Amino acid sequence: MGYLDVPGARLHFQAEGSGPTLLLIAGAGGDGDVFRMVSRHLAERYTVVRYDRRGFSRSDLDGPPENRDRLAADADDARRLIEHLGNGPATLFGSSSGAIVALTVLAGHLEVAAAVVAHEPPLMRQLTGGEQWLEFFASVYDRYREDGPDVAMARFRSRTFPGSDATFMAHAPKNPKNVAYWFEHELRQYPAADLDLAALGAHADRIVPAAGRDSGDHPCRAATASLAARLGRPMIDLPGGHIGFVSAPDAFAGELTAALDRSGAGPAHPGGDARPGGSPGSMHAGDWNDSYAGTPHWDLGRPQPAMQELADRGEIRGRVLDVGCGTGEHVLMCAALGLDSTGVDIAPAALHAARQRAEHRGLSARFLLGDAHHLAELGDTYDTVLDVGLFHIFGDEDRASYVRSLRDVVAPGGRYLMLCFSDREPGSGGPRRVGADEIATTFADGWRIEALAPTVLTNPAGPAGIHGWRLIAVRS
């Protein structure tokens, strides 16, 4: 437990656990203790820091609040707290208005934010018809002034959250000071925030939009989905509704940690010793990301000729997804042909490089952060899915999981085009060698193999080619 003096306030914070810093930013009520139960579980992987936002609970103000600059002050507080802790850039988890604070940190203080999980930010300006919600929040404030906080809060909860959340909130301990402060300085102001989506979009690979799977069509989930679409990011579902971290802390922590691992923003697995350049099948998300600190040894800087040939023959068609897209050469190849093209990769650094290449070449394509084993989270299907050098990194169990995931994004009748290492390649360095019979067995159920033939992969490290396989499989 400690205090940090910041301009205009004194922040109260608590830290527990070890590992990379995970800063938890509370929403309405502003009290970090709302995360007390979930922190215990998250502390197994992170140094978890929770704090009272300025003006709430134990974080007292030095003077009257400045409403005009309050969101900026909240973001600056988080920035100062991360720097005070001295453990490098942090992952920020913000819920509700705390998520708006976290996104504001990313937009203005990129150096301290490794990643941001934005859990149900009430960004009503992202919604069609959002002005009606802002009018509703103003009417709740008027009811507060006329009839007091209990009546106003009951009206607010009944319209804004699922019944399970509203009931839980109604029976939670109340802090009259926090309630009054929130009504006066946050209820109307934060949902009306007009965030700089261009600034956020430039770093969208660091943003993990998240919503409670029990939130249904309530406004905060809808606003999160709209934000995710604007940023070209998949939205993840977490247990519970708007306050799942309170109502289901154990499950919430587990799924949040797994989502961070899949995004590449989570810490390395305890005990893992893989490093870039080691066995690809043993590398974790952080290892893949580290590989792109320079130019990875597999990056050709142009499409593989064997895949370019398929494109030239018109085999790549419709909406295209490249799984494990790396720096995006095959996505950009498709975009240059006028195809609707998307790439997904687990390494934020790779996606950053891909976006730079797209901008430099004047091409339009989407690059999304995601895990090949959880492609359903993209929330879309594609006519053609490309795989250049991903299939061969998986062992048997992971390979089966990957192919199940592919079925979630390949439209019925759509095609999967793949290049991988062949068992005809001598030596043992690099990825696992794959036999034609393994490929045929893997795609025996739910697929029709249209073509499976030997090919040669261009080797970025030397003139000698690499024996490979080229597969065209049709989803039945």
Side-chain angles (χ1 to χ4, degrees), residues 128-350:
T128 301
E131 289 296 329
Q132 296 176 5
W133 280 105
L134 296 179
E135 292 172 3
F136 169 69
F137 295 152
S139 75
V140 170
Y141 174 76
D142 292 340
R143 180 65 62 89
Y144 157 73
R145 298 287 293 184
E146 295 169 5
D147 300 322
D150 291 343
V151 173
M153 192 63 82
R155 184 165 190 259
F156 172 72
R157 291 169 180 154
S158 66
R159 286 280 305 278
T160 311
F161 306 116
S164 57
D165 277 351
T167 300
F168 205 100
M169 293 174 181
H171 291 90
K174 296 179 178 61
N175 182 321
K177 171 194 168 186
N178 289 352
V179 171
Y181 193 78
W182 176 77
F183 268 114
E184 293 292 346
H185 305 294
E186 195 161 306
L187 167 63
R188 296 161 296 159
Q189 295 88 340
Y190 279 33
D194 195 6
L195 297 188
D196 186 346
L197 288 185
L200 291 173
H203 307 289
D205 52 359
R206 301 193 192 191
I207 301 174
V208 182
R213 63 173 57 98
D214 296 340
S215 289
D217 58 356
H218 287 82
C220 292
R221 181 181 172 89
T224 307
S226 179
L227 175 68
R230 293 283 299 275
L231 295 175
R233 302 290 289 116
M235 183 179 77
I236 66 168
D237 282 341
L238 292 173
H242 193 66
I243 55 168
F245 48 88
V246 176
S247 59
D250 191 356
F252 192 96
E255 293 195 30
L256 173 61
T257 299
L260 286 170
D261 285 345
R262 294 196 300 270
S263 75
H269 290 270
D273 59 359
R275 293 291 182 268
S279 168
S282 67
M283 289 168 64
H284 301 302
D287 300 319
W288 287 112
N289 195 59
D290 290 345
S291 299
Y292 291 92
T295 300
H297 60 78
W298 56 81
D299 189 353
L300 191 60
R302 58 186 172 88
Q304 276 285 343
M307 191 60 76
Q308 181 71 64
E309 180 186 349
L310 292 179
D312 295 342
R313 283 169 27 191
E315 301 284 359
I316 302 175
R317 60 194 72 148
R319 302 185 69 236
V320 180
L321 175 69
D322 182 9
V323 185
C325 67
T327 55
E329 288 297 337
H330 298 92
V331 180
L332 299 178
M333 173 189 74
C334 297
L337 295 173
L339 299 173
D340 183 314
S341 306
T342 300
V344 61
D345 203 282
I346 202 170

Side-chain angles (χ1 to χ4, degrees), residues 391 418 434-445 447 449 452 471:
F391 180 84
M418 180 264 284
V434 181
D437 57 340
E438 291 181 84
I439 297 173
T441 299
T442 300
F443 289 91
D445 184 16
W447 302 83
I449 294 181
L452 175 58
L471 168 72

Side-chain angles (χ1 to χ4, degrees), residues 5-208:
D5 290 323
V6 297
R10 191 179 194 220
L11 302 180
H12 173 270
F13 69 91
Q14 300 177 70
E16 61 182 308
S18 61
T21 299
L22 174 60
L23 182 68
L24 306 179
I25 307 178
D31 191 319
D33 279 352
V34 72
F35 297 119
R36 180 173 50 83
M37 291 184 290
V38 77
S39 292
R40 297 173 183 171
H41 303 288
L42 293 170
E44 297 174 4
R45 296 283 300 278
Y46 296 91
T47 297
V48 181
V49 182
R50 59 186 194 269
Y51 72 108
D52 302 336
R53 289 195 288 122
R54 62 169 52 213
F56 291 110
S57 295
R58 295 149 292 190
S59 290
D60 294 324
L61 300 174
D62 292 344
E66 294 288 342
N67 277 333
R68 183 180 58 182
D69 300 318
R70 185 164 172 267
L71 180 55
D74 255 342
D76 189 61
D77 288 347
R79 187 265 302 179
R80 290 174 183 272
L81 182 53
I82 294 167
E83 291 178 344
H84 173 72
L85 295 166
N87 194 24
T91 296
L92 282 65
F93 173 89
S95 185
S96 195
S97 51
I100 298 176
V101 175
L103 290 167
T104 305
V105 174
L106 181 66
H109 307 289
L110 182 67
E111 71 282 0
V112 302
V116 167
V117 181
H119 183 251
E120 297 211 353
L123 291 167
M124 295 301 122
R125 295 195 185 279
Q126 298 302 315
L127 280 179
T128 301
E131 289 296 329
Q132 296 176 5
W133 280 105
L134 296 179
E135 292 172 3
F136 169 69
F137 295 152
S139 75
V140 170
Y141 174 76
D142 292 340
R143 180 65 62 89
Y144 157 73
R145 298 287 293 184
E146 295 169 5
D147 300 322
D150 291 343
V151 173
M153 192 63 82
R155 184 165 190 259
F156 172 72
R157 291 169 180 154
S158 66
R159 286 280 305 278
T160 311
F161 306 116
S164 57
D165 277 351
T167 300
F168 205 100
M169 293 174 181
H171 291 90
K174 296 179 178 61
N175 182 321
K177 171 194 168 186
N178 289 352
V179 171
Y181 193 78
W182 176 77
F183 268 114
E184 293 292 346
H185 305 294
E186 195 161 306
L187 167 63
R188 296 161 296 159
Q189 295 88 340
Y190 279 33
D194 195 6
L195 297 188
D196 186 346
L197 288 185
L200 291 173
H203 307 289
D205 52 359
R206 301 193 192 191
I207 301 174
V208 182

